[in-house]
Amino acid sequence: WEPTQPGSSPANLVPRLGTHYSAMADAAEAHKSKTHREPAQLTQAECTEHAIGEKECGNAAFKAQDWNTAVGRYQEGLRYALYANGHHGEPLDEDTKQAAVALFSNCAAAHLKQGSPQFAVEVCTRALCLDMLNVKVYFRRAQAQLALGNHDHAIEDALRILDLEPENKEAEQLRLRATAEAKHSKDKDKAFCARMFG
């Protein structure tokens, strides 16, 4: 499970949630009970495994609406996933890259829940450096841009999603909302200027 994703219908998830959340909580508990070593002491595969465990712990915290813990767990997972690349310049293997993108994306979702859209934009941008075709990351970044009032950037990200998935209704709704909010903002600015200088 990963927090909200475009294209998924909450109604489709309802029958599976109880079982899925239970499995997620079990995975998080299993990860917490392990003895942990620093990433310098681990192979890249072991770092990736640890990062995935941190993601499970973060997802459990996200489900419990403990946004600070979720962000901390996702960031800890990223520390492990990106260690070899950051310290030794080693390229990331595909599994590590996928884990890092999921961690960045989930971290962005938690930042949005915290009311920290600027941090969400930053982590989404880092995720897109690893996977330029990730619709979920573009969607979260567009949501964050909209929350910041960066309507043009939100529209750009929504259009990128629509290039990748032309039938994505959530992206089209987000694009329309950003366009409407941009127009409203411009109209408001014009009215303010008219009052000030008119």
Side-chain angles (χ1 to χ4, degrees):
W1 177 82
E2 290 181 12
T4 312
Q5 65 184 31
S8 69
S9 167
N12 295 340
L13 298 175
V14 171
R16 298 180 286 141
L17 287 180
T19 305
H20 195 69
Y21 286 145
S22 176
M24 178 181 58
D26 290 346
E29 283 305 314
H31 176 74
K32 287 181 197 175
S33 69
K34 291 181 182 176
T35 302
H36 300 292
R37 295 180 293 165
E38 285 299 305
Q41 301 169 314
L42 303 173
T43 66
Q44 183 59 54
E46 290 170 327
C47 282
T48 301
E49 181 182 332
H50 184 83
I52 291 168
E54 290 295 327
K55 180 174 80 91
E56 293 301 326
C57 291
N59 288 350
F62 191 99
K63 179 194 174 282
Q65 298 181 5
D66 182 354
W67 316 127
N68 290 335
T69 298
V71 167
R73 289 297 193 154
Y74 297 142
Q75 289 173 339
E76 182 69 356
L78 285 163
R79 185 171 78 91
Y80 278 78
L82 301 176
Y83 179 81
N85 178 261
H87 286 79
H88 307 294
E90 294 176 24
L92 296 176
D93 61 36
E94 199 55 39
D95 289 342
T96 304
K97 215 183 267 190
Q98 287 177 2
V101 169
L103 285 158
F104 278 128
S105 179
N106 291 1
C107 192
H111 280 311
L112 285 169
K113 292 289 189 178
Q114 286 179 313
S116 302
Q118 184 59 48
F119 290 130
V121 168
E122 292 169 15
V123 295
C124 285
T125 300
R126 290 187 66 195
L128 290 169
C129 290
L130 299 174
D131 182 359
M132 297 272 314
L133 303 177
N134 192 299
V135 169
K136 185 189 299 185
V137 175
Y138 279 117
F139 191 84
R140 290 203 172 123
R141 189 169 75 172
Q143 289 176 310
Q145 294 287 15
L146 191 58
L148 291 167
N150 298 334
H151 304 107
D152 292 340
H153 293 299
I155 292 166
E156 284 176 30
D157 282 343
L159 289 172
R160 283 189 189 114
I161 296 167
L162 292 168
D163 283 343
L164 296 168
E165 293 182 1
E167 301 300 317
N168 191 310
K169 295 195 184 323
E170 289 92 351
E172 180 60 19
Q173 290 171 349
L174 188 61
R175 184 192 68 78
L176 292 172
R177 181 175 162 210
T179 302
E181 286 186 23
K183 182 184 180 327
H184 177 74
S185 180
K186 286 177 186 171
D187 291 346
K188 193 173 164 184
D189 289 346
K190 282 182 189 176
F192 177 75
C193 288
R195 282 194 308 272
M196 290 293 290
F197 305 109

